[in-house]
Amino acid sequence: MSRRRLVYEGKAKILYEGPEPGTLIQYFKDDATAYNAEKKAVIDGKGVLNNRISEHVMSGLNAIGVPTHFIRRLNMREQLIRACEIIPLEVVVRNVAAGSMSKRLGLEEGEQLPRPIVEFYYKDDKLGDPIVSEEHILAFNWASQQDLDDMVALALRVNDFLAGMFMGVGIRLIDFKIETGRIWDGDFQRIIVADEISPDCCRLWDTRSERKLDKDVFRRDLGDLIEAYTEVAKRLGIMPENGGKVLAGPKLVH
Ligand code: UDP
């Protein structure tokens, strides 16, 4: 691992050169950050859980024809991915009011929204990832109108898939964030889902008790983050390799 060429190191993951051109290896660290990295911790085993959960979600998306960068998981902390050009926008989909939307618009957390709402945030740590409109995105040329249409369509398909998957295991999908990237098949450009989809970038509430099973456990000091993420992995029928037994399939919660 140490001799591989490091391509990029972010807050929670490292990208290394992949075995073939056009591929990268994505390594999941145990580092957790919140509030634009003002709050930091290392949480043993978080990377392993996110690698497994993200594998599960991305494989499911690939299987229903939602294109993602995911190729296959390599080991407990690494996955092989397609290299893409990351679009500098976070795409957030919300089904239920929470977090920054609740604050901005004075909505109570937990209030069902009239329909899923897609928002864009400009990826810039120095600015604290400000929310931006399509007007900003087009004027500053961060993405084209076609890219935007593709990103919204992709985000809504991911939302339907995730909401259904989690509903089946007794979890309410409040909101989530995805990153997208561009790949080229010859002259043809496509937008794909990149980065990770894990409890680090979703809000997941137990349907009955409203127990938080996501990164808010860390942000708001609500308890043991590993316990929460393990609960998500268990319900989805996946567990880390280190001692956890692989369950037969998803557990139905009545
Ligand atoms: N999110 C994320 N990374 C970010 C900002 C937000 O993964 O840098 C996710 C977050 O986990 C939540 C959704 O996007 O599922 C909406 O987050 P929100 O805007 O409410 O921000 P927050 O309250 O987390 O600051």
Side-chain angles (χ1 to χ4, degrees), residues 91-93 118 150-160 176 178:
V91 188
V92 169
V93 182
V118 180
D150 291 352
M151 286 159 78
V152 170
L154 209 54
L156 290 175
R157 284 197 75 192
V158 173
N159 186 46
D160 287 346
F176 66 93
I178 55 168

Side-chain angles (χ1 to χ4, degrees), residues 143-194:
S144 67
Q145 185 65 59
Q146 182 65 56
D147 292 341
L148 276 176
D149 294 346
D150 291 352
M151 286 159 78
V152 170
L154 209 54
L156 290 175
R157 284 197 75 192
V158 173
N159 186 46
D160 287 346
F161 175 80
L162 283 183
M165 182 185 83
F166 284 123
M167 186 187 290
V169 296
I171 292 174
R172 189 171 174 214
L173 176 66
I174 306 299
D175 57 30
F176 66 93
K177 180 259 316 184
I178 55 168
E179 308 223 356
T180 55
R182 296 188 181 92
I183 53 163
W184 282 268
D185 289 326
D187 285 344
F188 183 66
Q189 183 208 277
R190 269 205 307 167
I191 306 281
I192 63 172
V193 179

Side-chain angles (χ1 to χ4, degrees), residues 8-246:
Y8 175 80
E9 175 153 12
K11 291 187 280 256
K13 293 182 297 294
I14 307 174
L15 295 178
Y16 295 101
E17 204 168 58
E20 289 159 34
T23 66
L24 292 169
I25 292 168
Q26 178 166 256
Y27 176 96
F28 287 74
K29 302 195 280 188
D30 282 338
D31 299 61
T33 58
Y35 309 118
N36 204 15
E38 269 170 39
K39 181 171 175 160
K40 284 187 201 166
V42 176
I43 303 175
D44 269 0
K46 179 176 83 83
V48 176
L49 281 157
N50 282 349
N51 185 22
R52 289 301 299 260
I53 295 171
S54 196
E55 171 199 16
H56 184 78
V57 173
M58 296 278 189
S59 321
L61 289 170
N62 284 341
I64 60 160
V66 177
T68 81
H69 73 164
F70 179 81
I71 300 173
R72 67 172 183 279
R73 187 170 61 85
L74 298 171
N75 54 48
M76 271 170 43
R77 287 190 182 270
E78 295 178 329
Q79 43 185 251
L80 184 67
I81 59 169
R82 279 189 79 164
C84 64
E85 180 194 304
I86 293 289
I87 297 172
L89 296 165
E90 297 190 336
V91 188
V92 169
V93 182
R94 301 178 184 272
N95 300 301
V96 177
S100 70
M101 176 186 241
S102 287
K103 269 200 211 120
R104 194 178 308 116
L105 303 181
L107 301 171
E108 194 166 334
E109 286 210 318
E111 190 180 322
Q112 188 75 34
L113 298 170
R115 62 181 178 87
I117 294 176
V118 180
E119 297 172 340
F120 296 99
Y121 293 81
Y122 181 53
K123 272 167 66 74
D124 186 321
D125 283 341
K126 287 196 294 295
L127 301 175
D129 299 344
I131 190 167
V132 290
S133 71
E134 294 203 1
E135 285 286 297
H136 297 112
I137 296 169
L138 297 173
F140 296 117
N141 212 18
W142 295 323
S144 67
Q145 185 65 59
Q146 182 65 56
D147 292 341
L148 276 176
D149 294 346
D150 291 352
M151 286 159 78
V152 170
L154 209 54
L156 290 175
R157 284 197 75 192
V158 173
N159 186 46
D160 287 346
F161 175 80
L162 283 183
M165 182 185 83
F166 284 123
M167 186 187 290
V169 296
I171 292 174
R172 189 171 174 214
L173 176 66
I174 306 299
D175 57 30
F176 66 93
K177 180 259 316 184
I178 55 168
E179 308 223 356
T180 55
R182 296 188 181 92
I183 53 163
W184 282 268
D185 289 326
D187 285 344
F188 183 66
Q189 183 208 277
R190 269 205 307 167
I191 306 281
I192 63 172
V193 179
D195 193 49
E196 70 179 296
I197 300 182
S198 72
D200 264 10
C201 43
C202 301
R203 281 198 171 91
L204 305 169
W205 295 3
D206 179 78
T207 311
R208 276 213 215 143
S209 67
E210 300 204 333
R211 177 186 164 203
K212 313 288 185 279
L213 298 169
D214 55 62
K215 202 165 135 184
D216 275 349
V217 172
F218 169 70
R219 290 191 194 98
R220 304 178 185 185
D221 295 318
L222 300 176
D224 187 332
L225 181 114
I226 293 299
E227 238 175 68
Y229 286 23
T230 303
E231 178 65 22
V232 174
K234 271 190 188 163
R235 290 200 196 178
L236 292 173
I238 46 172
M239 281 294 290
E241 286 155 355
N242 56 347
K245 53 179 192 297
V246 178

